[in-house]
Coordinates of all heavy atoms in Angstrom, one line a residue:
V235 N 25.8 1.2 -13.2 CA 26.3 0.0 -13.9 C 26.7 -1.1 -12.9 O 27.2 -2.1 -13.4 CB 27.4 0.4 -14.8 CG1 26.9 1.4 -15.9 CG2 28.6 0.9 -14.1
G236 N 26.4 -1.0 -11.7 CA 26.7 -2.1 -10.8 C 28.2 -2.2 -10.4 O 28.6 -3.2 -9.8
E237 N 29.0 -1.2 -10.7 CA 30.4 -1.2 -10.3 C 30.5 -1.0 -8.9 O 31.4 -1.6 -8.2 CB 31.1 -0.1 -11.1 CG 32.7 -0.1 -10.9 CD 33.4 1.0 -11.7 OE1 32.7 1.5 -12.7 OE2 34.5 1.3 -11.4
E238 N 29.5 -0.3 -8.3 CA 29.4 -0.2 -6.8 C 28.0 -0.9 -6.5 O 27.0 -0.6 -7.2 CB 29.4 1.2 -6.4 CG 30.6 2.0 -6.6 CD 31.7 1.8 -5.6 OE1 31.5 0.9 -4.7 OE2 32.7 2.5 -5.6
I239 N 28.0 -1.7 -5.4 CA 26.8 -2.3 -5.0 C 26.5 -1.6 -3.6 O 27.3 -1.7 -2.7 CB 27.0 -3.8 -4.7 CG1 27.4 -4.5 -6.0 CG2 25.7 -4.4 -4.1 CD1 26.4 -4.5 -7.0
P240 N 25.3 -1.0 -3.5 CA 25.0 -0.2 -2.3 C 24.2 -1.0 -1.3 O 23.5 -1.9 -1.6 CB 24.2 0.9 -2.8 CG 23.4 0.3 -4.0 CD 24.3 -0.8 -4.5
C241 N 24.3 -0.6 0.0 CA 23.3 -1.0 1.0 C 23.2 0.2 1.9 O 24.0 1.1 1.9 CB 23.8 -2.2 1.7 SG 25.2 -1.9 2.9
F242 N 22.1 0.1 2.7 CA 21.9 1.2 3.7 C 21.7 0.6 5.0 O 20.7 -0.2 5.3 CB 20.8 2.1 3.3 CG 20.7 3.4 4.1 CD1 21.5 4.4 3.8 CD2 19.9 3.4 5.2 CE1 21.5 5.5 4.6 CE2 19.8 4.5 6.0 CZ 20.6 5.6 5.7
A243 N 22.5 1.0 6.0 CA 22.4 0.4 7.4 C 21.7 1.4 8.3 O 22.3 2.4 8.7 CB 23.9 0.2 7.8
L244 N 20.5 1.0 8.7 CA 19.7 1.8 9.6 C 19.3 1.0 10.8 O 19.5 1.5 12.0 CB 18.4 2.3 8.8 CG 17.4 3.0 9.7 CD1 18.0 4.3 10.2 CD2 16.2 3.3 8.8
T245 N 18.8 -0.2 10.7 CA 18.3 -1.0 11.8 C 19.4 -1.6 12.6 O 20.3 -2.1 12.1 CB 17.4 -2.1 11.3 OG1 16.3 -1.5 10.5 CG2 16.7 -2.8 12.4
G246 N 19.2 -1.6 13.9 CA 20.1 -2.2 14.9 C 19.3 -2.9 15.9 O 18.1 -2.9 16.0
P247 N 20.0 -3.6 16.8 CA 19.4 -4.4 17.9 C 18.4 -3.5 18.8 O 17.4 -4.0 19.3 CB 20.5 -4.9 18.7 CG 21.7 -4.9 17.8 CD 21.5 -3.8 16.9
Y248 N 18.8 -2.3 19.0 CA 17.9 -1.4 19.9 C 17.2 -0.3 19.1 O 16.6 0.5 19.7 CB 18.9 -0.7 20.9 CG 19.6 -1.7 21.7 CD1 20.9 -2.1 21.5 CD2 18.9 -2.4 22.8 CE1 21.5 -3.0 22.3 CE2 19.6 -3.4 23.6 CZ 20.9 -3.7 23.3 OH 21.5 -4.6 24.0
A249 N 17.2 -0.4 17.8 CA 16.4 0.6 17.0 C 15.9 -0.1 15.7 O 16.6 -0.2 14.8 CB 17.3 1.8 16.7
G250 N 14.6 -0.5 15.8 CA 14.0 -1.1 14.7 C 13.1 -0.2 14.0 O 13.5 0.8 13.3
S251 N 11.8 -0.3 14.4 CA 10.8 0.7 13.9 C 11.0 2.1 14.4 O 10.7 3.1 13.7 CB 9.4 0.2 14.2 OG 9.1 -1.0 13.6
D252 N 11.6 2.1 15.6 CA 11.9 3.4 16.3 C 13.3 3.8 15.8 O 14.2 3.8 16.6 CB 11.8 3.3 17.8 CG 12.1 4.6 18.5 OD1 12.1 5.6 17.8 OD2 12.3 4.6 19.7
A253 N 13.3 4.3 14.6 CA 14.7 4.6 14.0 C 15.3 5.8 14.7 O 16.6 5.9 14.6 CB 14.6 4.8 12.5
T254 N 14.5 6.6 15.3 CA 15.1 7.9 15.9 C 15.9 7.6 17.2 O 16.6 8.5 17.6 CB 14.0 8.9 16.3 OG1 13.1 8.3 17.1 CG2 13.3 9.3 15.0
S255 N 15.8 6.4 17.7 CA 16.5 6.1 19.0 C 17.8 5.3 18.7 O 18.3 4.7 19.6 CB 15.6 5.2 19.9 OG 15.3 4.0 19.3
I256 N 18.4 5.4 17.5 CA 19.6 4.7 17.2 C 20.7 5.0 18.2 O 21.0 6.2 18.4 CB 20.0 4.9 15.8 CG1 20.1 6.3 15.4 CG2 19.1 4.2 14.8 CD1 20.6 6.6 14.0
P257 N 21.3 4.0 18.7 CA 22.4 4.2 19.7 C 23.8 4.4 19.0 O 24.8 4.6 19.6 CB 22.4 3.0 20.6 CG 21.9 1.9 19.7 CD 21.0 2.6 18.7
D258 N 23.8 4.1 17.7 CA 25.1 4.2 16.9 C 25.6 5.7 16.9 O 24.8 6.6 16.6 CB 24.9 3.7 15.5 CG 24.2 2.3 15.6 OD1 24.8 1.3 16.0 OD2 23.0 2.3 15.2
V259 N 26.9 5.8 17.2 CA 27.4 7.2 17.4 C 28.6 7.5 16.5 O 29.3 6.6 16.1 CB 27.8 7.5 18.8 CG1 26.6 7.3 19.8 CG2 28.9 6.5 19.3
G260 N 28.7 8.7 16.2 CA 29.8 9.3 15.5 C 30.4 10.5 16.2 O 29.6 11.5 16.4
I261 N 31.6 10.4 16.7 CA 32.2 11.5 17.5 C 33.1 12.4 16.5 O 34.1 11.8 15.9 CB 32.9 11.0 18.6 CG1 32.1 10.0 19.5 CG2 33.5 12.2 19.5 CD1 30.9 10.6 20.1
V262 N 32.8 13.6 16.4 CA 33.7 14.5 15.6 C 35.0 14.6 16.3 O 35.1 14.9 17.6 CB 33.1 15.9 15.4 CG1 34.0 16.8 14.6 CG2 31.7 15.8 14.7
C263 N 36.1 14.4 15.6 CA 37.5 14.4 16.2 C 38.5 14.6 15.1 O 38.2 14.6 13.9 CB 37.7 13.1 16.9 SG 37.8 11.6 15.9
K264 N 39.7 14.7 15.6 CA 40.9 14.8 14.6 C 41.7 13.6 14.8 O 41.9 13.0 15.9 CB 41.7 16.1 14.9 CG 40.9 17.4 14.6 CD 41.8 18.6 14.7 CE 41.0 19.9 14.4 NZ 41.9 21.1 14.6
Q265 N 42.3 13.1 13.7 CA 43.1 11.9 13.8 C 44.2 12.0 12.6 O 43.9 12.6 11.5 CB 42.3 10.7 13.6 CG 43.0 9.3 13.7 CD 42.1 8.2 13.8 OE1 41.2 8.2 14.6 NE2 42.4 7.1 13.1
L266 N 45.3 11.4 12.9 CA 46.4 11.4 11.8 C 46.0 10.3 10.8 O 45.8 9.2 11.2 CB 47.7 11.1 12.5 CG 48.3 12.3 13.2 CD1 49.7 11.8 13.9 CD2 48.6 13.5 12.3
V267 N 46.0 10.8 9.5 CA 45.7 9.8 8.5 C 46.9 10.0 7.4 O 47.0 11.1 6.9 CB 44.4 10.0 7.8 CG1 44.2 9.1 6.6 CG2 43.3 9.9 8.8
D268 N 47.7 9.0 7.3 CA 48.9 9.1 6.4 C 49.8 10.3 6.8 O 50.3 11.0 5.9 CB 48.5 9.1 5.0 CG 47.8 7.9 4.5 OD1 48.1 6.8 5.0 OD2 46.9 8.0 3.6
G269 N 49.9 10.5 8.1 CA 50.8 11.5 8.6 C 50.1 12.9 8.6 O 50.8 13.9 9.0
V270 N 48.8 13.0 8.2 CA 48.2 14.3 8.0 C 47.1 14.4 9.1 O 46.2 13.5 9.1 CB 47.6 14.5 6.6 CG1 46.9 15.9 6.6 CG2 48.8 14.5 5.6
E271 N 47.0 15.4 9.9 CA 45.9 15.5 10.8 C 44.6 15.8 10.0 O 44.5 16.8 9.3 CB 46.2 16.7 11.8 CG 45.1 16.8 12.9 CD 45.4 17.9 13.9 OE1 45.4 19.1 13.5 OE2 45.6 17.6 15.1
T272 N 43.6 15.0 10.3 CA 42.4 15.0 9.5 C 41.2 15.2 10.4 O 41.1 14.4 11.4 CB 42.2 13.7 8.6 OG1 43.4 13.6 7.8 CG2 40.9 13.8 7.8
L273 N 40.3 16.1 10.0 CA 39.1 16.3 10.7 C 38.0 15.2 10.3 O 37.8 15.1 9.1 CB 38.4 17.7 10.6 CG 37.2 18.0 11.3 CD1 37.4 17.9 12.8 CD2 36.7 19.4 10.9
G274 N 37.5 14.5 11.2 CA 36.6 13.4 10.8 C 35.7 12.9 11.9 O 35.4 13.7 12.8
I275 N 35.2 11.7 11.7 CA 34.2 11.1 12.7 C 34.7 9.8 13.1 O 35.1 9.0 12.3 CB 32.8 10.9 12.0 CG1 32.5 12.1 11.1 CG2 31.7 10.8 13.1 CD1 31.4 11.8 10.1
R276 N 34.6 9.5 14.4 CA 35.0 8.2 15.0 C 33.6 7.5 15.2 O 32.9 7.8 16.1 CB 35.8 8.3 16.2 CG 36.3 6.9 16.7 CD 37.3 7.1 17.9 NE 36.7 7.6 19.1 CZ 36.9 8.9 19.5 NH1 37.8 9.7 18.9 NH2 36.3 9.3 20.6
L277 N 33.4 6.4 14.5 CA 32.1 5.8 14.4 C 32.1 4.4 15.2 O 33.0 3.6 15.0 CB 31.7 5.5 13.0 CG 31.4 6.8 12.1 CD1 31.6 6.4 10.6 CD2 30.0 7.3 12.3
T278 N 31.0 4.2 15.9 CA 30.8 2.9 16.5 C 29.4 2.5 16.3 O 28.4 3.3 16.6 CB 31.0 3.0 18.0 OG1 32.4 3.3 18.3 CG2 30.7 1.6 18.7
F279 N 29.1 1.4 15.6 CA 27.8 1.0 15.2 C 27.6 -0.5 15.2 O 28.6 -1.2 15.1 CB 27.5 1.6 13.8 CG 28.5 1.3 12.8 CD1 28.5 0.2 12.0 CD2 29.6 2.2 12.7 CE1 29.5 0.0 11.0 CE2 30.6 2.0 11.7 CZ 30.6 0.8 10.9
D280 N 26.4 -0.9 15.3 CA 26.0 -2.3 15.3 C 24.6 -2.4 14.6 O 23.6 -2.1 15.1 CB 25.9 -2.8 16.8 CG 25.5 -4.3 16.8 OD1 25.6 -5.0 15.7 OD2 25.1 -4.8 17.9
K281 N 24.7 -2.8 13.3 CA 23.5 -2.9 12.5 C 23.2 -4.3 12.0 O 24.1 -5.1 12.0 CB 23.7 -2.0 11.2 CG 24.2 -0.6 11.4 CD 23.0 0.2 12.0 CE 23.3 1.7 12.0 NZ 22.2 2.6 12.6
R282 N 22.0 -4.5 11.8 CA 21.6 -5.9 11.3 C 20.4 -5.7 10.3 O 19.8 -4.7 10.2 CB 21.2 -6.8 12.5 CG 20.0 -6.2 13.3 CD 19.7 -7.2 14.5 NE 18.5 -6.7 15.2 CZ 18.1 -7.4 16.3 NH1 18.7 -8.5 16.8 NH2 17.0 -6.9 16.9
Y283 N 20.1 -6.9 9.7 CA 19.0 -7.0 8.7 C 19.3 -6.1 7.5 O 18.4 -5.6 6.8 CB 17.6 -6.6 9.3 CG 17.2 -7.2 10.6 CD1 16.4 -6.6 11.4 CD2 17.7 -8.5 10.9 CE1 16.0 -7.1 12.6 CE2 17.3 -9.1 12.1 CZ 16.5 -8.4 13.0 OH 16.1 -8.9 14.2
I284 N 20.5 -5.9 7.1 CA 20.9 -4.9 6.0 C 21.0 -5.6 4.7 O 21.9 -6.4 4.4 CB 22.2 -4.2 6.4 CG1 22.2 -3.7 7.8 CG2 22.4 -3.1 5.3 CD1 21.0 -2.8 8.2
T285 N 20.0 -5.3 3.8 CA 19.9 -6.0 2.5 C 21.1 -5.6 1.6 O 21.3 -4.4 1.6 CB 18.6 -5.8 1.9 OG1 17.6 -6.4 2.7 CG2 18.5 -6.5 0.5
L286 N 21.7 -6.5 1.0 CA 22.9 -6.4 0.1 C 24.2 -6.1 0.9 O 25.2 -6.0 0.3 CB 22.6 -5.3 -1.0 CG 21.7 -5.5 -2.0 CD1 21.6 -4.4 -3.0 CD2 21.9 -6.9 -2.7
A287 N 24.1 -6.1 2.2 CA 25.4 -5.8 3.0 C 26.5 -6.8 2.7 O 27.6 -6.4 2.6 CB 25.0 -5.7 4.5
P288 N 26.2 -8.1 2.6 CA 27.3 -9.0 2.4 C 28.1 -8.8 1.1 O 29.3 -9.2 1.1 CB 26.6 -10.4 2.4 CG 25.4 -10.2 3.2 CD 25.0 -8.8 2.9
V289 N 27.4 -8.3 0.1 CA 28.1 -8.0 -1.2 C 28.3 -6.6 -1.5 O 28.9 -6.2 -2.5 CB 27.3 -8.7 -2.3 CG1 27.3 -10.2 -2.1 CG2 25.9 -8.1 -2.4
A290 N 28.0 -5.7 -0.5 CA 28.0 -4.2 -0.8 C 29.4 -3.8 -0.9 O 30.3 -4.2 -0.1 CB 27.2 -3.5 0.3
T291 N 29.6 -2.8 -1.7 CA 31.0 -2.1 -1.8 C 30.9 -0.7 -1.2 O 32.0 -0.1 -1.0 CB 31.4 -2.0 -3.3 OG1 30.4 -1.2 -4.0 CG2 31.5 -3.3 -3.9
V292 N 29.7 -0.2 -1.0 CA 29.6 1.1 -0.3 C 28.4 1.0 0.6 O 27.3 0.5 0.3 CB 29.4 2.3 -1.4 CG1 28.2 2.1 -2.2 CG2 29.3 3.6 -0.6
V293 N 28.6 1.5 1.9 CA 27.6 1.3 2.9 C 27.1 2.7 3.4 O 27.8 3.5 3.8 CB 28.2 0.6 4.1 CG1 27.2 0.4 5.3 CG2 28.7 -0.7 3.7
G294 N 25.8 2.9 3.1 CA 25.1 4.1 3.7 C 24.9 3.8 5.2 O 24.4 2.7 5.6
L295 N 25.2 4.7 6.1 CA 25.1 4.5 7.5 C 24.4 5.7 8.2 O 24.7 6.9 7.9 CB 26.6 4.4 8.1 CG 26.7 4.1 9.6 CD1 26.3 2.7 9.9 CD2 28.1 4.4 10.1
A296 N 23.4 5.3 9.0 CA 22.8 6.3 9.9 C 23.3 6.2 11.3 O 23.4 5.1 11.8 CB 21.2 6.0 9.8
F297 N 23.6 7.4 11.9 CA 24.1 7.4 13.2 C 23.8 8.7 13.9 O 23.4 9.7 13.2 CB 25.6 7.1 13.2 CG 26.4 8.2 12.4 CD1 26.9 9.3 13.0 CD2 26.5 8.0 11.0 CE1 27.6 10.2 12.3 CE2 27.2 9.0 10.3 CZ 27.7 10.1 10.9
R298 N 24.0 8.8 15.2 CA 23.8 10.1 15.9 C 25.2 10.7 16.0 O 26.1 10.1 16.5 CB 23.1 10.0 17.2 CG 22.8 11.3 17.9 CD 21.9 11.1 19.1 NE 20.5 10.9 18.7 CZ 19.7 11.8 18.3 NH1 20.0 13.1 18.3 NH2 18.4 11.5 18.0
M299 N 25.3 12.0 15.6 CA 26.6 12.7 15.5 C 26.7 13.6 16.7 O 25.9 14.4 17.0 CB 26.7 13.4 14.2 CG 28.0 13.9 13.9 SD 28.0 14.5 12.1 CE 29.6 15.3 12.0
Y300 N 27.9 13.5 17.3 CA 28.2 14.3 18.5 C 29.5 15.1 18.2 O 30.4 14.7 17.6 CB 28.4 13.5 19.8 CG 27.1 12.9 20.2 CD1 26.8 11.5 19.8 CD2 26.2 13.5 21.0 CE1 25.7 10.9 20.2 CE2 25.0 12.9 21.5 CZ 24.8 11.5 21.1 OH 23.6 10.9 21.5
D301 N 29.6 16.4 18.8 CA 30.8 17.2 18.6 C 31.2 17.7 20.0 O 31.0 18.9 20.3 CB 30.4 18.3 17.7 CG 31.6 19.2 17.4 OD1 32.8 18.8 17.7 OD2 31.4 20.3 16.8

Side-chain angles (χ1 to χ4, degrees):
V235 297
E237 189 176 340
E238 298 277 7
I239 303 295
C241 73
F242 189 82
L244 175 61
T245 303
Y248 300 101
S251 297
D252 181 15
T254 58
S255 64
I256 52 178
D258 311 288
V259 298
I261 309 298
V262 179
C263 62
K264 292 181 179 180
Q265 183 169 313
L266 287 177
V267 178
D268 296 330
V270 179
E271 187 177 61
T272 304
L273 183 61
I275 323 161
R276 188 171 65 251
L277 295 156
T278 297
F279 50 91
D280 182 11
K281 305 290 189 179
R282 62 182 182 179
Y283 311 152
I284 312 305
T285 299
L286 293 185
V289 296
T291 61
V292 58
V293 178
L295 184 71
F297 60 95
R298 183 167 288 277
M299 190 168 171
Y300 295 93
D301 184 14

